[in-house]
Amino acid sequence: MRKAKIAVIGSSSMDLVVTSKKRPGAGETVLGESFKTVPGGKGANQAVAAARLGAEVYMIGCVGDDHYGEAILNNFKKNGVKTDYVEPVTGVESGTAHIILAEGDNSIVVVKGANDHITPSYIAKAAELIDRCDLVMIQQEIPEETVEYVAELCEDKQVPLLLNPAPAREISQKVIEGATYITPNEHEADVLFNGQPLSESLRTYPEKVFITEGAAGVRYFNGKEEVLVPSFKVKAVDTTGAGDTFNAAFGTAIAEGKDLTESITFGNRAASLSVTSFGAQGGMPTREEVERKLSE
Ligand code: RIB
């Protein structure tokens, strides 16, 4: 099988993760249990996940000129992600995500840092690479005008674009039209479509909008009816990065020419494996692991 060639445009961060029995309320201090620093950022997570699943992945992004930046670059290399288009920004700190894992879920504050320097003119330098890709993947931890620019560029070059609209923000109709696939969770879909009932949004965009419903699965409209492709049951340890793993696996399968149901199932299987270990990238499976589980 031919390797899918994918460009991921997005954030690369360091995740600073605290585990605690209790999530502190406003003005409250609690004692936590552990602290770890692990690679993250939605763009980097999707790039690493797609590389582990066998795609040829080019990351397009920025890191700070600090030790986190170096660690992020090393992590890309360790995972086989190509970094020709990842530049350190002088005098700027790397992106960080401050994560509390408590009471069975995460809370995250993201500080964009160098990710805010991923501007349209920075992306323009990679236009020739983008033109040669089977798929471009993008998320929203980078400037809004960059997402708009990429949507236009991909439409112009006829390169399929997978937009993971996370974290939630309103986006222009131009971006919705320019994207080939859009994968919000329920909350992000609410923001994206101004509170319109989800089944109406799905009908408006058949085979374009795929709502990720966590443990339930992924819902879309196939032109005739709403379809829910169910998820796989596992014991979750840490759900951070599950959405990124789904997007990477779904995108890889699509770029390889698999049909929608097969691609979503592949995504669901990979995402369900990713939540069984600590850290956004800690549980991201290899191609072999996903295929073995799918054949069980
Ligand atoms: O999607 C998970 C990611 O979101 C984490 O790795 C963290 O960096 C946040 O940006």
Side-chain angles (χ1 to χ4, degrees):
M1 186 184 47
R2 191 180 67 87
K3 265 185 179 238
K5 192 172 184 150
I6 297 177
V8 179
I9 299 172
S11 59
S12 309
S13 301
M14 199 48 87
D15 287 358
L16 280 55
V17 191
V18 166
T19 60
S20 164
K21 283 221 165 61
K22 187 174 183 294
R23 189 181 312 282
E28 188 184 5
T29 301
V30 298
L31 290 178
E33 286 160 346
S34 71
F35 170 70
K36 286 202 174 71
T37 305
V38 290
K42 292 184 191 302
N45 291 344
Q46 295 183 14
V48 166
R52 287 191 195 163
L53 293 167
E56 182 183 339
V57 183
Y58 294 79
M59 181 70 197
I60 304 175
C62 291
V63 293
D65 67 347
D66 49 12
H67 66 282
Y68 286 161
E70 267 172 49
I72 291 166
L73 279 169
N74 287 337
N75 183 59
F76 280 137
K77 289 177 186 142
K78 198 176 91 194
N79 282 282
V81 174
K82 299 198 191 318
T83 55
D84 316 40
Y85 294 92
V86 184
E87 278 179 21
V89 186
T90 310
V92 175
E93 74 284 4
S94 293
T96 48
H98 304 259
I99 303 180
I100 299 176
L101 288 185
E103 300 162 8
D105 212 343
N106 60 30
S107 319
I108 308 182
V109 176
V110 171
V111 180
K112 282 198 273 181
N115 296 311
D116 224 11
H117 292 251
I118 307 171
T119 56
S121 58
Y122 183 77
I123 302 298
K125 292 192 262 177
E128 195 258 332
L129 163 75
I130 289 170
D131 199 20
R132 287 184 282 118
C133 282
D134 300 308
L135 181 75
V136 170
M137 296 177 28
I138 198 165
Q139 328 71 34
Q140 302 198 133
E141 289 180 332
I142 59 173
E144 198 174 339
E145 63 267 26
T146 304
V147 178
E148 284 175 8
Y149 173 78
V150 171
E152 237 172 77
L153 185 72
C154 287
E155 210 179 1
D156 192 41
K157 292 186 176 297
Q158 295 286 294
V159 177
L161 175 66
L162 166 52
L163 166 66
N164 174 217
R169 71 180 170 213
E170 284 174 20
I171 59 177
S172 67
Q173 193 59 28
K174 239 173 44 193
V175 171
I176 297 182
E177 298 304 335
T180 319
Y181 310 99
I182 308 179
T183 53
N185 63 21
E186 288 152 287
H187 165 67
E188 289 151 4
D190 232 33
V191 175
L192 212 60
F193 301 114
N194 300 312
Q196 170 175 263
L198 294 187
S199 54
E200 241 175 76
S201 309
L202 288 174
R203 276 175 181 271
T204 313
Y205 298 106
E207 302 195 340
K208 176 178 219 166
V209 173
F210 300 83
I211 301 182
T212 56
E213 297 183 2
V218 173
R219 193 181 296 277
Y220 73 106
F221 184 72
N222 68 6
K224 287 198 194 108
E225 57 183 357
E226 229 173 75
V227 181
L228 175 70
V229 183
S231 198
F232 295 83
K233 271 209 174 69
V234 287
K235 195 170 176 306
V237 171
D238 180 1
T239 57
T240 313
D244 298 327
T245 309
F246 170 78
N247 277 279
F250 172 65
T252 300
I254 286 279
E256 287 172 359
K258 295 193 169 44
D259 72 21
L260 281 178
T261 314
E262 207 184 337
S263 300
I264 297 170
T265 305
F266 189 72
N268 283 347
R269 186 69 267 192
S272 70
L273 289 169
S274 78
V275 303
T276 58
S277 297
F278 171 83
Q281 297 176 15
M284 284 173 177
T286 61
R287 180 78 182 215
E288 293 68 37
E289 285 168 327
V290 177
E291 283 178 351
R292 188 167 2 101
K293 280 284 178 190
L294 279 172
S295 67
E296 275 174 9

